[in-house]
Structure formats: structure tokens, C-alpha cells
């Protein structure tokens, strides 16, 4: 049961220094998954030592894959080949990780053995029909609790390819279908209403799979094998996002974020912050393991509200909690629309963020698919609840850095799912932030 870890945040002086945030969560999940399915041994560097990605690694160990930990962020994965996974006689625990459960559903429905996927209290409330339905159309047999986990996946089914248009933009659903497509007869074509992160596609290609993709579609043929390859995981833009916002709003700040992943399907917040007047320079652009990376230098600047373009929503889908804080600190209103997906993340992020910021004195009008944040009101101290959602906890911690009194944040344990060492890193660059266990 989470709820034991409490953050206490207070107004910071300037934030300064250089930081490298932990490895990308999406890339780390996929690196373990594809390396496990490959022929040969793959080395992963920069792996996220977070609870979500550790859960994925633990699942693959249960499925018979040898994964050696060579050091912090380094793994050697002894791939078992596309048909080499072994069934587990106990349920496979995805913890808090929606990515793990949805991608695994696509992979496991194509195996010879049965599997059960379970998750924690938050994951057990997240919608799985979006992946079950198209997989069933491919021939899979999956039972759920009215569209919710646990998922009971029957093995021994011959899948067939589909041509499927996603009703909602989701990289997780796209990835699940492509994984099932690897085992299906014929071709699988996934079309997206808005392009989403393409790590599955790019990594499949890195592992030697012939896949045709461009923003908005991905297509592959079943029956291909994966060849082991080394993966370098970039620093997670979504973790860097908290510091981009914090340094933008805390006066006197000047921060350098090193080698941040710059995949264009992830950097929508950067565009939004710059439109709001943020001072963020992109330096030392490079390509690392096939992914764009850059240093981001962010200095404090006065922000003003914007209307976030609807087509940008998928490119910053995980960054709205942080954006809400920037918007609360900005002059004038910020309008978010077309973001109903936020209601089915680790928490209902439109509701949890609106409630948290209102507690601190912000004015927010919530709508079914977004919110208007009326910025520019001084934030006060107060007692808020993260609802077990890592990104709400970290966003509230940032809000605390500009609040006039202490901000107490309950239920912060899950910060470790995506950003182990957050408090240590944040305090090293000047955050006033403490973590306490309470009963
Ligand atoms: C992810 C896709 C997104 C994102 C999540 C990670 C992925 O979810 O919110 O944090 O790794 O594919 P959806 O596919 O539900 O949009």
C-alpha cells in the first residue's frame, strides 16, 4: 500500500547546476522486451532503474530470460529468440506500469502458453479494452474484468494480421499490435489519428526487423526474427520536463540538463514553454543509439499563458501536470483542449492537478477534455495529495518551489516508478524539498 512517502516543498532560491536525469522509461521497457526476443546477447546502457522498468525486467526473467545487471543502468540480456519464451505458472506483475501491461498483452497473446497479467491498485483501474479489442480481432483470446486488469491471456492461438486505425492516439496500443503482428500471418498495419512516439518501430528496425513506418502509420509482416543489438537509452525528456518548468519559474535559475532525449514525439512541452516565453536553449545536439539527444539550458523567464494546439497534445501527453504548474505561474490564461486521455493515466490528471493547484490558490476551470488555468496568482502553501501518481507528486513539488508557504504532498512513493533519486537530484540543484516517511 502506497501513501507512506510525504514530500515537503518550500520556496527555493535560484536553481543552478548541471543534471543528467535518469534513462527514458519508454525506451527502457522496449529495450528489455526486444532484447529478450532477439537471437543473441544485447547490452543495454542507460537503463532506467525505476520500478516500472524493473517490473518489466522481472516479468521477462519469469518468462525464462537471463538478464544480468552489470552495474547501474547496465544490463546484459540473453535473448531467447522469438519463440523461446517459457510460460510462468504465477501471475506476471506489471506493478504501476501501463506500458508493460499493454505491450505484454500484445506479445503474450501470440505465445503457446497461457499468461495472467496483474498490476497495482492504479493499474487495475486503467482501461485495457483499447488493446484487447484489436488483439481479439487478430485472433487473440483475452479475458478481463469488464475491460480492466487482471488479464487472462490464452496461448496457442494463430494470429492473423490486421489493418487497424487506432480510435485514440496511443503508442502503447500501436506497440501491442505490432508485437502481435510479429507472430501473425500476413501483414499488420496500424494507422494513428495523430502520430505517437515511434520507439517500437525504430527499435524493431535496430533489431533487424523489416518495418515500414512514418508519422501516422506502421506496417510489418509476421514471421521475422530479431537479431541482438546494443541499446543506448537517452535521458528521459519527461523527467527533464520537471526541471525545465522549475528553472523557468524560479527567479535567478540557470540550469543545464545533459543529453536529454529529443524525439519530436516527446518534446511538445518544449514548444509550449517557448511559446509561453521560456528561455530554453538547445545545445550540443547529437544522435545517441539512433535517438536525437541535446543539452537543454534553461534560465528563469517571465511566462505568459497560451492555447496549447490540440495536435500537440500527444507530443506532450505525459507533461501536462508540469505544464499546469508553468501555467499557474504564467500571466494570463492557458487553455488545454483535446486531452481527455489525461483522465485515464496513473490518476485522472486533469482532476488531480486541478485539485492540487486549487488547494495552493490557483484558479482553474476544468472541462471534460482539458482545463483553463488562470495564471498569475501567487501560490500559497497547503496540503495536497498525489494520488499515487508520480508525475502529480513531482509537479506539486515544483509548485512548492514558488509557493509562499510550505507545500506538503502525500502519497509520493510512486515517484520511484519513473524517477528514482528525484529528491536528491532536485535538492542538489537548489530545490527546497524533503522526503519523509509517515505512518
Ligand atoms: C507510452 C505511451 C503513452 C505515455 C506513457 C508511455 C509508451 O501512453 O503516456 O507514459 O511508452 O508507449 P499511451 O499510449 O496510453 O498514450
Amino acid at each position: 500500500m502506497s501513501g507512506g512517502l510525504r514530500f515537503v516543498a518550500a520556496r527555493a532560491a535560484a536553481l543552478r547546476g548541471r543534471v543528467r536525469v535518469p534513462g527514458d522509461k519508454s525506451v527502457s521497457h522496449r529495450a528489455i522486451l526486444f532484447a529478450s526476443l532477439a537471437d543473441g546477447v544485447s547490452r543495454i546502457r542507460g537503463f532506467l532503474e525505476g520500478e516500472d522498468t524493473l517490473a518489466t525486467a522481472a516479468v521477462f526473467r519469469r518468462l525464462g530470460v537471463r538478464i544480468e545487471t552489470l552495474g547501474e543502468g547496465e544490463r546484459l540480456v540473453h535473448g531467447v529468440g522469438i519463440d523461446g519464451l517459457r510460460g510462468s505458472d504465477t501471475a506476471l506483475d506489471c506493478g504501476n506500469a501501463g506500458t508493460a501491461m499493454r505491450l505484454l498483452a500484445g506479445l503474450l497473446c501470440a505465445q503457446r502458453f497461457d499468461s495472467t497479467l496483474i498490476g497495482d491498485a492504479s493499474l487495475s483501474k486503467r482501461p485495457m479494452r483499447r488493446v484487447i479489442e484489436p488483439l481479439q480481432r487478430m485472433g487473440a483470446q483475452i479475458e478481463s474484468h469488464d475491460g480492466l486488469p487482471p488479464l487472462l491471456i490464452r496461448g496457442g492461438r494463430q494470429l492473423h494480421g490486421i489493418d487497424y486505425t487506432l480510435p485514440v492516439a496511443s503508442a502503447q496500443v500501436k506497440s501491442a499490435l505490432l508485437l502481435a503482428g510479429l507472430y501473425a500471418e500476413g501483414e499488420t498495419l496500424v494507422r494513428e489519428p495523430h502520430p505517437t512516439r515511434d520507439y517500437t518501430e525504430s527499435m524493431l528496425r535496430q533489431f533487424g526487423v523489416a518495418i515500414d513506418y512514418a508519422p501516422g502509420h506502421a506496417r510489418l509482416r509476421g514471421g521475422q526474427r530479431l537479431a541482438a543489438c546494443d541499446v543506448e537509452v537517452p535521458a528521459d525528456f519527461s523527467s527533464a520536463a520537471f526541471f525545465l518548468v522549475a528553472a523557468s519559474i524560479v527567479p535567478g535559475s540557470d540550469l543545464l540538463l545533459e543529453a536529454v532525449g529529443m524525439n519530436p514525439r516527446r518534446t511538445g512541452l518544449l514548444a509550449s514553454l517557448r511559446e509561453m516565453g521560456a528561455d530554453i536553449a538547445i545545445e550540443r545536439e547529437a544522435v545517441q543509439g539512433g535517438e536525437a539527444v541535446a543539452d537543454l539550458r534553461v534560465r528563469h523567464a517571465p511566462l505568459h499563458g497560451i492555447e496549447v494546439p490540440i495536435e500537440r497534445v500527444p507530443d506532450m501527453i505525459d507533461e501536462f501536470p508540469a505544464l499546469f504548474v508553468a501555467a499557474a505561474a504564467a500571466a494570463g490564461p492557458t487553455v488545454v483542449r483535446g486531452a481527455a486521455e489525461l483522465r485515464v493515466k496513473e490518476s485522472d490528471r486533469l482532476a488531480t492537478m486541478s485539485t492540487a493547484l486549487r488547494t495552493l490558490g490557483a484558479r482553474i476551470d476544468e472541462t471534460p477534455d482539458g482545463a483553463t488555468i488562470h495564471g498569475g496568482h501567487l501560490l500559497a502553501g497547503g496540503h495536497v495529495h498525489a494520488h499515487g501518481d508520480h508525475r502529480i507528486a513531482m509537479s506539486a513539488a515544483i509548485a512548492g518551489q514558488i509557493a509562499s508557504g510550505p507545500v506538503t504532498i502525500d502519497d509520493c512513493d510512486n515517484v520511484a516508478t519513473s524517477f528514482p533519486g528525484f529528491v536528491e537530484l532536485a535538492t542538489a540543484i537548489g530545490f527546497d524539498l524533503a522526503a519523509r516517511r509517515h505512518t
Side-chain angles (χ1 to χ4, degrees):
M1 152 93 197
S2 66
L5 193 66
R6 169 180 284 176
F7 285 175
V8 181
R11 186 189 287 254
L15 307 177
R16 287 173 177 271
R18 301 171 77 92
V19 269
R20 189 188 164 110
V21 299
D24 190 279
K25 181 151 73 75
S26 295
V27 176
S28 296
H29 280 300
R30 288 161 172 84
I32 290 286
L33 194 154
F34 293 130
S36 295
L37 295 181
D39 298 311
V41 179
S42 302
R43 184 185 290 258
I44 305 171
R45 286 197 184 79
F47 177 72
L48 171 65
E49 303 281 358
E51 286 170 3
D52 275 13
T53 44
L54 293 174
T56 291
V59 166
F60 279 94
R61 286 197 177 102
R62 292 217 67 85
L63 294 169
V65 181
R66 199 171 135 226
I67 302 175
E68 288 179 76
T69 301
L70 301 183
E72 163 100 18
E74 209 166 335
R75 296 291 188 278
L76 209 56
V77 182
H78 299 259
V80 295
I82 192 93
D83 291 316
L85 296 177
R86 249 191 0 232
S88 161
D89 44 17
T90 53
L92 301 166
D93 191 354
C94 301
N96 191 245
T99 305
M101 186 169 284
R102 295 197 178 114
L103 269 59
L104 281 164
L107 174 65
L108 294 174
C109 72
Q111 307 302 315
R112 287 167 320 231
F113 49 83
D114 297 349
S115 309
T116 302
L117 292 174
I118 58 170
D120 71 3
S122 152
L123 183 52
S124 300
K125 287 190 223 138
R126 297 185 64 189
M128 294 296 147
R129 206 162 263 146
R130 53 182 59 197
V131 31
I132 296 171
E133 225 163 61
L135 289 173
Q136 282 172 339
R137 282 205 222 171
M138 294 177 79
Q141 197 185 332
I142 303 176
E143 288 157 35
S144 69
H145 285 238
D146 208 14
L148 301 177
L151 301 185
L152 178 55
I153 300 172
R154 300 280 177 204
R157 316 276 305 177
Q158 177 56 55
L159 306 183
H160 46 84
I162 44 164
D163 177 345
Y164 186 73
T165 302
L166 299 178
V168 282
S170 166
Q172 293 176 356
V173 178
K174 171 178 64 175
S175 302
L177 302 186
L178 292 174
L179 277 162
L182 278 177
Y183 294 84
E185 274 170 1
E187 183 180 276
T188 295
L189 170 57
V190 186
R191 306 172 202 256
E192 306 177 279
H194 296 282
T196 62
R197 64 194 70 188
D198 56 2
Y199 299 123
T200 295
E201 298 90 309
S202 63
M203 245 192 255
L204 277 170
R205 189 173 278 170
Q206 258 179 280
F207 278 84
V209 169
I211 174 166
D212 154 45
Y213 71 96
H217 86 269
R219 182 204 317 254
L220 55 70
R221 293 196 73 80
Q224 304 189 55
R225 298 193 73 86
L226 284 74
C229 89
D230 293 348
V231 180
E232 185 120 10
V233 181
D236 198 322
F237 183 90
S238 295
S239 296
F242 300 108
F243 295 138
L244 290 179
V245 170
S248 293
I249 63 176
V250 173
S253 297
D254 184 351
L255 206 58
L256 190 86
L257 299 163
E258 293 174 351
V260 180
M262 293 290 283
N263 184 304
R265 299 279 75 84
R266 299 291 302 285
T267 51
L269 178 78
L270 182 59
S272 294
L273 286 175
R274 281 176 149 180
E275 277 174 27
M276 295 170 84
D279 178 357
I280 303 172
I282 301 175
E283 299 172 355
R284 287 171 28 102
E285 289 178 87
V287 176
Q288 195 186 77
E291 280 294 324
V293 296
D295 287 356
L296 298 177
R297 181 163 186 190
V298 51
R299 297 177 178 92
H300 168 258
L303 303 183
H304 54 81
I306 58 163
E307 279 196 27
V308 178
I310 289 189
E311 63 278 7
R312 192 184 290 153
V313 167
D315 294 350
M316 52 180 291
I317 193 67
D318 292 333
E319 280 61 73
F320 281 95
L323 175 89
F324 271 44
V325 178
T334 291
V335 182
V336 175
R337 288 195 198 93
E341 270 299 284
L342 296 177
R343 297 207 180 274
V344 290
K345 293 295 179 187
E346 286 84 328
S347 69
D348 174 347
R349 287 183 173 160
L350 291 173
T352 49
M353 258 337 272
S354 298
T355 304
L357 287 174
R358 273 192 209 116
T359 303
L360 305 181
R363 262 190 59 216
I364 301 179
D365 299 322
E366 208 182 308
T367 61
D369 70 340
T372 298
I373 303 112
H374 302 275
H377 304 272
L378 204 63
L379 295 184
H383 193 148
V384 303
H385 207 283
H387 292 278
D389 184 333
H390 54 136
R391 300 201 198 281
I392 304 301
M394 290 185 275
S395 299
I398 293 167
Q401 304 311 304
I402 56 162
S404 61
V407 174
T408 304
I409 311 151
D410 278 344
D411 205 357
C412 295
D413 292 79
N414 281 339
V415 166
T417 61
S418 70
F419 201 150
F422 169 71
V423 173
E424 293 76 7
L425 213 56
T427 49
I429 55 164
F431 270 58
D432 189 330
L433 180 64
R436 291 181 197 143
R437 275 257 142 235
H438 73 109
T439 46

